[in-house]
Amino acid sequence: MNISSQHLQALYEAFCKTPLLWKHADINNLKQLKSLNDYNTVFLRKLDKQLRLGQLAEQFVFNQLDTSTTTTILAENIQIQKNKRTLGELDALLLADKTPIHLEIVYKFYVYDDTLDNLEIESWIGPNRKDSLKDKLNKLTNKQLPLLYSHDCQNTLNTLKLENHNFKQRVLFKAQLFVPYQKSIKFELINKACVCGFYIHASQIEIFKNYKFYIPKKLDWFLKPHENVEWLEFSNFRSESKLFLDNKQSPLFWLKNQTGELSKAFLVWW
C-alpha cells in the first residue's frame, strides 16, 4: 500500500480500540467472536496493494488472529464459485481455542436517524443513506453466513481439506456511531461505547463558524482526531464540503473549537 508503516500502525491501533457493536446479548441470533486479549499490538502483515477501508479492517483482524496464541487461521477470503461465477466469500475460517469458526468481519460507520420509526436497529443508517444496520444484519443472516452450507462451498472446503470441520459461526462487528447534534438518544441493544461523535445537517453549519476543520481521507476515518493536521478555516471548509454535498456524499470531518477541544462528526447531505 502507498502508506507509511507508521501511518498504517496508527490505523491498526485505532481499529483495535474500536469497540464491538454489541457485546453480551446476541442480535439477530448473531454471536460476536470472543474478544482476543493476547494479540500483537504491532501490525506485522505486508500489504502489496491498495485496500479499501473494509478490506483493511479484515487485514487488521487477520493480524490479531495470526498473533494470538488461542487462534489459528485455516483460510481467509475464501471465494465460493459456481461455473466460474463468484457466489460470495467467506472472510475467514479459523480455530479459536481449538473450536472451528467461520468468521465474518464488519466495520461500519452509522448515524442515528431520529426521524425513523424510533426502533433502535432500524434507526442506525449509513451517513449517505445507502445502507443501514438492519440491512447488514439481514445480509449476514440470510446470505453471508448461509453460504457456508451451500453445495458449492462444500466443494471448496473439500479442495481446502477442511470438509470435516463442524464450523460454528461468529461475527466480529465493530462500528463508529454518530448521533444527532445536541440530542439525547437512548438505546439498549447497541454498545454505547461505539458512539464517537455527532452529525449535523447543512443548515446547522453556521453554528461552527468560529471553529477550525479537517476532512480526513477515507482510511483515516479509523482515527481519533489529533492536532497534527492542516486545519481549514470555516469558509474553506464550507466550500470543500459543498463539493461532497452536491454529489450526495456526507463527509466525515474533525473540528477544533476556540479552546482546542477536538471532535469528530459527519456533515450529512440529506
Side-chain angles (χ1 to χ4, degrees):
M1 289 184 69
N2 187 24
I3 185 173
S4 71
S5 58
Q6 183 179 10
H7 190 179
L8 192 58
Q9 177 63 28
L11 299 180
Y12 175 59
E13 292 175 8
F15 170 86
C16 293
K17 292 176 182 177
T18 306
L20 296 176
L21 188 56
W22 67 92
K23 294 191 296 183
H24 304 299
D26 301 341
I27 293 182
N28 272 34
N29 294 317
L30 298 172
K31 297 181 182 296
Q32 293 270 20
L33 182 71
K34 183 180 177 182
S35 295
L36 300 175
N37 298 314
D38 64 341
Y39 60 84
N40 200 318
T41 56
V42 177
F43 186 70
L44 302 173
R45 288 197 152 208
K46 301 300 181 185
L47 305 179
D48 56 3
K49 63 179 182 179
Q50 197 70 26
L51 299 178
R52 299 189 303 273
L53 188 145
Q55 294 171 319
L56 187 55
E58 289 180 0
Q59 292 298 315
F60 290 157
V61 175
F62 296 156
N63 191 82
Q64 291 179 311
L65 296 171
D66 271 339
T67 59
S68 171
T69 60
T70 60
T71 58
T72 302
I73 297 178
L74 301 173
E76 58 187 62
N77 298 133
I78 308 108
Q79 296 281 325
I80 309 302
Q81 297 184 328
K82 181 177 184 178
N83 299 328
K84 297 183 179 180
R85 180 174 64 91
T86 301
L87 302 177
E89 179 182 279
L90 309 183
D91 285 346
L93 299 174
L94 60 124
L95 295 176
D97 293 320
K98 299 182 180 180
T99 300
I101 299 290
H102 164 212
L103 179 68
E104 289 297 317
I105 300 163
V106 185
Y107 196 103
K108 288 289 189 180
F109 296 79
Y110 291 125
V111 301
Y112 191 94
D113 186 351
D114 56 346
T115 68
L116 296 176
D117 294 337
N118 240 2
L119 298 173
E120 182 175 337
I121 298 300
E122 285 79 353
S123 295
W124 291 109
I125 64 171
N128 292 325
R129 303 195 74 88
K130 290 182 179 179
D131 62 340
S132 68
L133 174 56
K134 180 182 178 181
D135 289 344
K136 185 58 182 178
L137 294 174
N138 287 338
K139 184 177 180 181
L140 283 166
T141 303
N142 300 321
K143 183 178 180 181
Q144 291 177 266
L145 293 175
L147 184 63
L148 176 72
Y149 304 112
S150 68
H151 174 74
D152 299 289
C153 183
Q154 191 61 44
N155 292 336
T156 301
L157 295 182
N158 292 342
T159 302
L160 296 171
K161 297 183 172 19
L162 297 174
E163 69 275 15
N164 292 325
H165 286 290
N166 183 22
F167 289 99
K168 294 185 177 180
Q169 295 190 297
R170 298 289 184 269
V171 298
L172 196 152
F173 200 135
K174 292 188 168 196
Q176 294 187 35
L177 304 180
F178 298 78
V179 296
Y181 179 62
Q182 289 191 333
K183 286 189 177 181
S184 177
I185 302 297
K186 295 182 180 180
F187 46 92
E188 302 297 330
L189 299 174
I190 298 302
N191 183 4
K192 296 175 178 61
C194 289
V195 175
C196 61
F198 59 87
Y199 71 91
I200 60 172
H201 299 275
S203 60
Q204 298 172 289
I205 194 172
E206 290 288 337
I207 298 172
F208 304 98
K209 62 184 179 182
N210 294 320
Y211 287 52
K212 294 187 183 299
F213 303 82
Y214 175 70
I215 303 176
K217 294 181 179 180
K218 186 68 178 280
L219 290 184
D220 286 345
W221 286 17
F222 284 116
L223 300 175
K224 284 188 174 181
H226 58 80
E227 281 278 2
N228 191 26
V229 296
E230 294 185 10
W231 294 96
L232 297 172
E233 297 295 335
F234 175 71
S235 59
N236 293 330
F237 172 71
R238 183 168 53 187
S239 298
E240 290 195 19
S241 62
K242 187 176 185 299
L243 299 176
F244 289 90
L245 301 180
D246 288 346
N247 289 304
K248 293 189 175 181
Q249 296 177 336
S250 300
L252 182 144
F253 65 98
W254 303 351
L255 67 166
K256 179 170 68 170
N257 68 10
Q258 297 93 319
T259 63
E261 182 181 358
L262 304 179
S263 304
K264 190 173 188 177
F266 273 103
L267 174 62
V268 299
W269 62 264
W270 32 274

